[in-house]
Amino acid sequence: MQLQHQRHGKDGSCQSLDACGVCGGDNSSCSGCTNPAADNYDETALFDDGSCIISGCTNPAADNYDPAANNDDGSCIISGCTNPAADNYDPAATNDDGSCIISGCTNPIADNYDPAANNDDGSCIISGCTNPNAENYNPEANNDDGSCVATGCTYPGADNYDAVNTAEDGSCIFSGCTDATAENYVPYANNDDGSCVFEPCSGGACPFDSNGDGEIGSADLLDFLVAFGQACEDL
């Protein structure tokens, strides 16, 4: 501010007053902060000397940023996620706006259920029986824990053996010859497959072998039919 040189007239009066009315003054006596919004507003000041202090939030990223403020008073409000465990945690945020995203398993029945998670990331592990043929099959299970119970035939030699069965129910089917007089009789067979083989008769030792060829066949049946109904002495 330019100083005014003090000048006096012949009568001793001041010839050079500043805007404040001070003889030879520099206007400083009536200068100060002229902004009514400032903390240090001086209502008597006629000239603004640039000393205004306006407290408020000076962070442009804040919700309540005040572009006129030149003194940060710590009142800045920055909305965002304030949870350090969240995927979108914002260390600068001071006001949690409920936007936190916490990824994890959100299924309460899962082994690794996370009650804090709000974004299911497909990591849920549900242990149980994953075999659709089992009696205790769990369609939600994705981790087989060996608990499956499958009832059926458990004998590897059976026709209907199923390797997934864990409990024997007596349904095994063993095909083979079930006639104990056959050469290839199978003691454990419970389903006769027509494979029985019988030793041929020899000579006249075999009953009903009328033609003595060692076998009981259609020729023997024909002889029987011819003789059927006749008296023994007539044969």
Side-chain angles (χ1 to χ4, degrees):
M1 190 173 296
Q2 187 175 2
L3 296 177
Q4 299 288 333
H5 294 290
Q6 188 174 2
R7 296 178 182 177
H8 296 277
K10 293 180 179 181
D11 57 359
S13 61
C14 184
Q15 299 296 307
S16 178
L17 299 175
D18 66 5
C20 301
V22 177
C23 183
D26 59 0
N27 296 333
S28 61
S29 62
C30 61
S31 295
C33 176
T34 61
N35 187 342
D39 302 345
N40 58 334
Y41 167 60
D42 183 357
E43 61 181 7
T44 65
L46 299 178
F47 297 98
D48 195 287
D49 59 1
S51 65
C52 289
I53 298 174
I54 302 176
S55 297
C57 176
T58 61
N59 187 342
D63 303 345
N64 59 332
Y65 166 60
D66 183 357
N70 58 14
N71 177 52
D72 197 289
D73 59 2
S75 65
C76 290
I77 298 174
I78 302 176
S79 296
C81 176
T82 61
N83 187 342
D87 303 345
N88 59 332
Y89 167 60
D90 183 357
T94 59
N95 177 53
D96 197 288
D97 58 2
S99 65
C100 290
I101 298 174
I102 302 176
S103 297
C105 176
T106 61
N107 190 337
I109 69 171
D111 303 344
N112 59 332
Y113 167 59
D114 183 358
N118 58 14
N119 178 52
D120 197 288
D121 58 3
S123 66
C124 290
I125 298 174
I126 302 175
S127 297
C129 176
T130 61
N131 185 347
N133 296 320
E135 297 172 17
N136 59 331
Y137 167 59
N138 182 1
E140 292 187 274
N142 57 14
N143 178 51
D144 198 288
D145 58 3
S147 65
C148 291
V149 176
T151 301
C153 178
T154 61
Y155 292 96
D159 301 347
N160 59 333
Y161 166 66
D162 188 344
V164 302
N165 291 332
T166 59
E168 173 63 40
D169 63 357
S171 65
C172 290
I173 298 174
F174 298 93
S175 295
C177 177
T178 60
D179 191 327
T181 64
E183 294 181 7
N184 60 333
Y185 167 60
V186 180
Y188 57 83
N190 57 13
N191 178 52
D192 197 288
D193 58 2
S195 65
C196 291
V197 176
F198 298 92
E199 182 179 359
C201 297
S202 59
C206 185
F208 311 114
D209 181 12
S210 61
N211 60 6
D213 62 358
E215 294 183 357
I216 300 175
S218 58
D220 300 308
L221 177 60
L222 182 60
D223 289 342
F224 171 76
L225 293 175
V226 171
F228 183 75
Q230 299 185 44
C232 291
E233 58 269 19
D234 295 335
L235 296 176

